[in-house]
Amino acid sequence: MQRQVRRLGPNSFGEELSPGAVDDTYLGLLVDQPLAASLPAPGSLLVVGPSALLEERVRRPDGRAIYDLLTGHPDRGARELVFLADLAVELRVWQDVDWRVLGIDVEGVAEAIVQLARRGQVRARWYHELSAEDAKALGRPAMDYARAELRDRVTGWLGEQYMRWLHPTSGRRHGEPFL
């Protein structure tokens, strides 16, 4: 069965998305939920570049629609870390719809990317220090303050990872992208 997914058109102000305009942004996906406060254990966050959404093994056209919003939103900045809850809020503001109304399986796309990352088939960084509160913020669009605090922490960590990757002893090849 071929599913048709509506492309994200202009918002109410006539602004259009420019997919690919900011291709050095990062997508953070909750992977391992931390255990409850009674038995605290950290959870994990997977951070990937937008190219992971275009992988042929990621559900299409769903991955492409998420890519369009992630890399084409007019307010997006370079090296910005964005979570799925952030994209849900942006989509609601952009066209007053949600992923379900558009027929986009966000969870299926996220699961495909996680599986590809676990097999080493997409570039990814793993952040293993999520608290239960962080996980809650990633699942609830209204918790933007808690998500902003997490974003600051993970962005600082990503900056350190990036600087290590730039070092001549990192083993990176010429022209190889960070994520």
Side-chain angles (χ1 to χ4, degrees):
M1 178 174 118
Q2 179 82 11
R3 294 184 320 122
Q4 293 296 318
V5 176
R6 188 177 81 176
R7 296 296 297 228
L8 299 177
N11 65 13
S12 60
F13 299 110
E15 294 176 301
E16 294 277 350
L17 295 175
S18 301
V22 184
D23 63 356
D24 62 344
T25 192
Y26 310 123
L27 177 63
L29 303 170
L30 178 63
V31 179
D32 299 319
Q33 295 251 354
L35 296 175
S38 61
L39 183 62
S44 297
L45 181 75
L46 174 68
V47 181
V48 296
S51 62
L53 292 162
L54 302 178
E55 272 290 320
E56 63 186 32
R57 294 160 286 197
V58 172
R59 180 184 303 249
R60 291 186 183 190
D62 298 7
R64 180 64 198 210
I66 298 168
Y67 172 90
D68 290 355
L69 187 58
L70 177 66
T71 65
H73 195 282
D75 296 335
R76 188 79 62 233
R79 293 204 186 120
E80 184 177 342
L81 175 61
V82 182
F83 303 113
L84 287 177
D86 299 321
L87 293 175
V89 170
E90 289 176 359
L91 180 61
R92 175 68 66 185
V93 170
W94 191 260
Q95 291 189 330
D96 197 27
V97 295
D98 60 20
W99 299 117
R100 184 186 44 74
V101 169
L102 292 176
I104 297 172
D105 180 10
V106 177
E107 289 82 18
V109 168
E111 181 61 28
I113 292 171
V114 168
Q115 294 306 319
L116 290 169
R118 284 188 170 143
R119 291 185 218 121
Q121 296 173 323
V122 295
R123 295 187 175 287
R125 303 283 176 181
W126 296 87
Y127 180 80
H128 298 291
E129 297 299 322
L130 288 184
S131 68
E133 186 69 18
D134 294 333
K136 245 192 266 185
L138 291 174
R140 297 181 182 162
M143 294 183 70
D144 56 346
Y145 182 77
R147 229 175 14 264
E149 288 181 342
L150 174 61
R151 184 182 347 277
D152 289 345
R153 249 185 7 254
V154 177
T155 298
W157 171 81
L158 269 173
E160 291 174 14
Q161 296 292 309
Y162 182 73
M163 294 309 288
R164 287 181 184 160
W165 176 79
L166 285 176
H167 196 273
T169 61
S170 71
R172 71 177 170 96
R173 296 181 186 100
H174 179 69
E176 177 181 48
F178 174 61
L179 285 178

